[in-house]
Amino acid sequence: MDLSQYAELFLAESREHLSACNQLLLEWERHPAGLTPVSGLFRAVHTVKGMAATMGYARVTDLAHRMENLLDVQRRGAHPATDELLQLLFRARDALERAVELSVVGRERELDVAAIVADLEQAAARMAPARPGERPVPSPEPTEPEPEAAGRLVQVTLRPEAPLKGGRAVLVLKRAQALGAVHAVTPPVTAFEADEFDGRFSFRLDATAAAEQIEAALKAAGDVAHVTVGGAEAGGPAPEPGATPGDAGAVGGGPSRHIRVDLRRLDGLMDLIGELITVRGRLNQLAAERRDPAVDDVAIQVSRLSSDLQAEILQARMTPVWQVFDRFPRLVRDVARELGKQVAFRVEGKEIELDRAILDELGDPLMHLLRNAVDHGIEPPAERRRRGKPPEGEVVLTAQRERASVTITVADDGRGVDRRKILERAQREGVVDAHADALTDEQLLRVLARPGFSTAEAVTSVSGRGVGIDVAMTRIRALGGTIEIRSELGKGTTFVLRLPVTLAIVRAIMASVGPERYALPLTYVAETVEFGAVTTTMVEGREAIVLRDHVVPLVHLRRLLGVTSDRAPARAPIIVLELGDRRAGVVVDGMLGQQEIVVKGFDAPQGTLPVFSGATIMGDGVPALILDAAGLV
Amino acid sequence: MSHTVLVCDDAIFMRTMISDILAQAGFEIVGEAETGSQAVEKYKQLRPDLVTMDIVMPDMGGIDAVREIVKHDPDAKILMCSAMGQQALVVEAIQAGAKDFVVKPFQPSRVLEAVQRVLG
């Protein structure tokens, strides 16, 4: 049968189980004497094993099987978890994850699981009692040898390739019992439970039926190669029973309330909706020109329906943040362990939902911020004690929904950022005015986010390998989000990330500069004013306007984009953007109103100004670039 | 009329695969269960001709589910879905009343053979 169709399901479900393994291992590590996580672990690994075996991924199966064995031995012996055992299981889980991922993409051959398999085996051997099988299983019949037992001697040999021969033997015995009393089962039924059982057994059957009948009845139990009744060899290898499918027709599908959808399907749907919305824009434009009430009616209906459809699709794309957050407890633990720090990690708001595309992009930046929090934020236990703090530091990751955006915070109660040190360094590097005597939060972030800027005296392996805050920041901004820092020396640091709930469709102000149109996402537009209606001034060599006592620097898009055609209008509109506490006034030629735009990914060619975050297609089919507020203010 | 089947397994992957194998052979999948207790509940409600039962499931395991179902309906036809290394559990399940078993990885022909034996 074609297994490739199941590969994605296998992957998705295996990932879930592996993620669960992480949570359970962490829980176990916190309470090593408790055994509750073990059965969950066992189940998760067992499920992965069964699925992998079905997919034919031998190495995944093998690895999972050894883990399962070890867990089983551990469970039966009710041993508390030692640190060594936990580390081994963590390693094995990671190896299993790699094995799953590689197998699905057809690279199973690259895997070398021999070392970890050997470690698992050794650990299981060390813990195993002399012999398993403490669990007594009642046998269906008395097994005492009955030397003068009544009945005919029946000898059965199962097919050599039959799996789980003991189970099959019990099925044969059941069939025999239907014909008459069964005695003197040799070897005793308890031996059937051992893996060494080779599939040959005999018993006495007190039945009057003909040998052929007995033989046929027993062979019906399946996987029976030979049956001899009353000493006379009867029959050879059983004929291969042909699979006799019933009448075809009814195709099943349980009455389940959920289905799994390939993410690419949702992306495809989203693209189509995007096109629909573009066409809707065109329809509205035409309807406005026509001034025909009937056409207007249809246009309005199409508008409403496509909005509803869009809302439904966006909803279908929403994914709870735990799908990404769930791997962080393990990450924080690993980093803390590596650095010899004690960290309690909490996650709040796991059930908050975000568009899948945003969530997927969020993993790396958050990972970096969490690493930073443990590495640079949380102090070593001794230092914390000296400062009168509990030796265990705290890192909290929180997700919160606020209207159309989701706020994610990464907070630690560590040493906080030493602004004095950073200011000195920033002044040395000429990043900050030499006369400044303090850094605001916003300046601090800008300094920290400079590529390559690090205050760590020694670059540890932890933060040395990751992306810098600058990369995290770029990612967040590319998603249309913002990032803020709050830090207090000695008390801790908090990063606040604000993200749109959905990525694909945003409301934007359309503006023209020369012959081109540009879109400015409304999220960042504070207000619009007219050039000439406000006071212009020069601040630190930059042109600016004064808006309610606040100086707002101006950005002339014409100049920035090098547009020389036509002339700028005298009373050009200024779109005031606001990002955190930074503002900028963007001077454009004209404003074309608001509309919903479908954001398309945008691979900027080298040398493109860093002021575009994407592109969109307008109602008339002409593309327009989307301006990135973060690149302008 | 085609036979009705209740598929019990905690993995969607496994349920999908078993359902596909059986549906292609003309069986009608009338329900799915993810836990042993769901299996018992759905058995009572659906009275399927056949049950495929995973051994390791959360909440209530497959073997306990077999006991419960057989208590309720001694003629229940239950096919255990087991994995290599579960010899003792399979023996226990059969003694509890399961009619046959298949071993993962599933080969459609072997699954259908076992089903035929169970429905006999």
Side-chain angles (χ1 to χ4, degrees):
Chain A
M1 81 192 285
D2 177 22
L3 287 168
S4 59
Q5 56 175 319
Y6 298 105
E8 279 195 43
L9 200 48
F10 166 76
L11 184 62
E13 207 161 4
S14 295
R15 280 180 179 158
E16 271 173 30
H17 285 292
L18 285 163
S19 171
C21 282
N22 250 342
Q23 312 303 323
L24 289 163
L25 281 171
L26 289 169
E27 189 188 325
W28 202 10
E29 190 177 50
R30 277 195 297 277
H31 310 285
L35 285 171
T36 13
V38 187
S39 50
L41 275 169
F42 179 85
R43 248 188 346 255
V45 173
H46 176 78
T47 303
V48 172
K49 178 180 95 168
M51 294 192 293
T54 305
M55 292 301 295
Y57 301 148
R59 283 170 219 209
V60 180
T61 312
D62 189 28
L63 188 51
H65 182 63
R66 309 290 166 156
M67 270 181 92
E68 188 188 340
N69 261 352
L70 177 58
L71 286 164
D72 195 38
V73 170
Q74 204 280 339
R75 183 169 67 163
R76 282 164 188 246
H79 307 283
T82 59
D83 190 55
E84 196 191 346
L85 174 73
L86 282 166
Q87 295 325 305
L88 174 60
L89 288 171
F90 271 121
R91 256 176 59 219
R93 190 222 75 102
D94 292 352
L96 188 60
E97 182 171 49
R98 268 196 307 282
V100 163
E101 301 283 335
L102 283 178
S103 297
V104 167
V105 293
R107 290 169 55 194
E108 197 186 9
R109 285 169 174 281
E110 293 171 29
L111 281 166
D112 184 8
V113 294
I116 185 89
V117 161
D119 288 352
L120 287 167
E121 249 186 342
Q122 273 173 22
R126 272 200 303 277
M127 271 200 294
R131 196 76 208 109
E134 310 118 75
R135 216 160 28 85
V137 175
S139 50
E141 285 297 306
T143 54
E144 303 88 57
E146 293 170 51
E148 291 305 316
R152 296 136 89 176
L153 178 69
V154 180
Q155 289 171 294
V156 179
T157 307
L158 298 177
R159 287 191 196 151
E161 74 276 10
L164 304 189
K165 295 188 176 66
R168 192 57 57 192
V170 176
L171 284 173
V172 173
L173 286 180
K174 282 209 158 182
R175 301 253 172 180
Q177 279 163 3
L179 301 169
V182 171
H183 316 273
V185 181
T186 320
V189 174
T190 42
F192 294 171
E193 292 175 25
D195 290 331
E196 293 79 26
F197 175 60
D198 68 353
R200 281 182 301 184
F201 61 104
S202 63
F203 53 90
R204 294 265 172 192
L205 177 63
D206 201 0
T208 50
E212 292 75 26
Q213 265 178 304
I214 296 172
E215 187 200 325
L218 299 188
K219 281 191 168 174
D223 276 340
V224 175
H226 300 274
V227 176
T228 50
V229 181
E233 161 76 40
E240 192 74 33
T244 42
D247 40 330
V251 172
S256 161
R257 312 296 297 160
H258 288 89
I259 56 159
R260 281 177 185 238
V261 180
D262 187 332
L263 196 58
R264 282 168 298 191
R265 285 260 153 80
L266 283 182
D267 286 342
L269 260 178
M270 202 63 221
D271 282 347
L272 288 173
I273 295 282
E275 283 175 38
L276 181 62
I277 290 196
T278 306
V279 175
R280 177 182 80 183
R282 179 83 188 121
L283 177 65
N284 285 340
Q285 219 170 316
L286 286 175
E289 286 164 16
R290 285 278 178 108
R291 295 168 194 277
D292 177 340
V295 176
D296 271 354
D297 246 23
V298 175
I300 288 167
Q301 274 188 42
V302 168
S303 277
R304 189 173 48 77
L305 288 173
S306 50
S307 292
D308 290 354
L309 189 56
Q310 175 194 329
E312 285 292 325
I313 298 291
L314 288 176
Q315 194 50 48
R317 292 173 58 90
M318 298 298 273
T319 312
V321 293
W322 61 254
Q323 293 209 354
V324 164
F325 284 15
D326 264 10
R327 64 178 133 124
F328 294 143
R330 173 73 191 279
L331 171 99
V332 169
R333 167 203 171 271
D334 286 355
V335 174
R337 209 182 155 85
E338 194 177 324
L339 298 168
K341 296 185 179 179
Q342 294 174 18
V343 180
F345 180 56
R346 262 191 306 134
V347 178
E348 286 172 8
K350 271 185 168 194
E351 67 296 335
I352 299 292
E353 293 183 324
L354 270 171
D355 187 286
R356 181 75 211 210
I358 297 179
L359 195 60
D360 283 348
E361 284 289 308
L362 213 52
D364 286 350
L366 283 178
M367 197 159 82
H368 177 73
L369 293 176
L370 287 168
R371 268 201 182 126
N372 253 329
V374 178
D375 189 5
H376 299 309
I378 302 295
E379 312 90 331
E383 187 184 332
R384 289 180 66 90
R385 273 198 209 95
R386 268 204 311 281
R387 295 179 188 278
K389 290 176 168 182
E392 190 180 55
E394 193 179 46
V395 175
V396 187
L397 174 65
T398 315
Q400 260 180 310
R401 177 79 188 255
E402 283 169 9
R403 278 177 296 147
S405 67
V406 166
T407 305
I408 293 173
T409 53
V410 177
D412 68 67
D413 69 345
R415 54 171 74 100
V417 179
D418 189 341
R419 281 167 209 261
R420 199 176 34 80
K421 249 194 213 163
I422 298 212
L423 180 63
E424 275 168 24
R425 170 131 183 225
Q427 285 172 332
R428 248 197 338 268
E429 293 185 2
V431 183
V432 172
D433 185 0
H435 305 295
D437 49 3
L439 278 174
T440 63
D441 280 344
E442 188 217 330
Q443 281 173 318
L444 178 64
L445 181 65
R446 245 188 288 179
V447 173
L448 287 179
R450 281 172 58 79
F453 192 97
S454 167
T455 54
E457 264 98 62
V459 174
T460 57
S461 73
V462 175
S463 49
R465 69 175 163 225
V467 289
I469 290 187
D470 55 321
V471 178
M473 216 163 140
T474 314
R475 286 271 187 95
I476 300 297
R477 281 187 176 166
L479 296 170
T482 63
I483 183 166
E484 274 170 44
I485 187 175
R486 286 174 210 142
S487 189
E488 202 173 330
L489 190 61
K491 295 231 174 121
T493 304
T494 302
F495 281 94
V496 182
L497 279 53
R498 273 200 192 83
L499 292 150
V501 176
T502 76
L503 186 59
I505 297 178
V506 296
R507 273 200 90 72
I509 284 196
M510 302 305 299
S512 65
V513 178
E516 302 288 342
R517 282 171 295 183
Y518 297 91
L520 275 153
L522 216 51
T523 333
Y524 305 110
V525 176
E527 61 186 299
T528 56
V529 291
E530 218 168 62
F531 207 84
V534 285
T535 327
T536 34
T537 170
M538 294 297 280
V539 177
E540 289 172 17
R542 277 186 77 180
E543 193 181 4
I545 53 172
V546 181
L547 215 55
R548 289 184 294 279
D549 299 335
H550 284 286
V551 175
V552 180
L554 289 183
V555 178
H556 287 272
L557 265 194
R558 254 180 182 275
R559 273 177 233 161
L560 188 67
L561 302 173
V563 177
T564 49
S565 60
D566 323 317
R567 291 192 47 200
R571 293 176 75 87
I574 301 172
I575 302 171
V576 180
L577 301 180
E578 193 172 48
L579 195 80
D581 47 4
R582 280 185 292 156
R583 295 171 139 212
V586 180
V587 186
V588 297
D589 288 1
M591 294 224 294
L592 309 168
Q594 291 181 16
Q595 72 177 74
E596 281 189 328
I597 58 165
V598 181
V599 179
K600 297 264 176 200
F602 173 67
D603 283 320
Q606 279 280 313
T608 309
L609 283 169
V611 295
F612 302 114
S613 61
T616 187
I617 311 288
M618 310 292 299
D620 53 11
V622 178
L625 290 171
I626 301 167
L627 288 161
D628 179 17
L632 292 167
V633 302
Chain B
M1 213 185 83
S2 57
H3 288 291
T4 55
V5 187
L6 171 65
V7 176
C8 312
D9 199 308
D10 57 337
I12 301 178
F13 172 87
M14 281 297 171
R15 292 203 302 273
T16 310
M17 183 166 273
I18 296 168
S19 299
D20 287 355
I21 292 172
L22 294 178
Q24 271 162 28
F27 291 87
E28 186 189 351
I29 316 299
V30 289
E32 293 185 6
E34 291 176 38
T35 65
S37 42
Q38 255 185 36
V40 175
E41 192 184 307
K42 291 210 172 171
Y43 185 86
K44 291 179 182 170
Q45 179 194 330
L46 301 166
R47 298 299 293 226
D49 301 329
L50 175 75
V51 182
T52 72
M53 182 78 74
D54 186 23
I55 291 182
V56 179
M57 286 189 288
D59 187 10
M60 179 196 282
I63 296 175
D64 287 332
V66 170
R67 286 199 186 96
E68 287 297 310
I69 290 176
V70 169
K71 212 187 282 173
H72 176 78
D73 174 9
D75 291 330
K77 296 191 164 50
I78 307 173
L79 175 65
M80 299 309 288
C81 297
S82 62
M84 290 307 291
Q86 288 186 322
Q87 187 104 279
L89 293 174
V90 166
V91 170
E92 194 182 341
I94 293 165
Q95 285 168 346
K99 294 281 188 273
D100 209 314
F101 63 92
V102 285
V103 181
K104 295 170 195 171
F106 297 139
Q107 288 161 341
S109 61
R110 290 197 70 96
V111 173
L112 295 173
E113 273 169 42
V115 167
Q116 292 306 328
R117 283 196 298 267
V118 170
L119 294 174

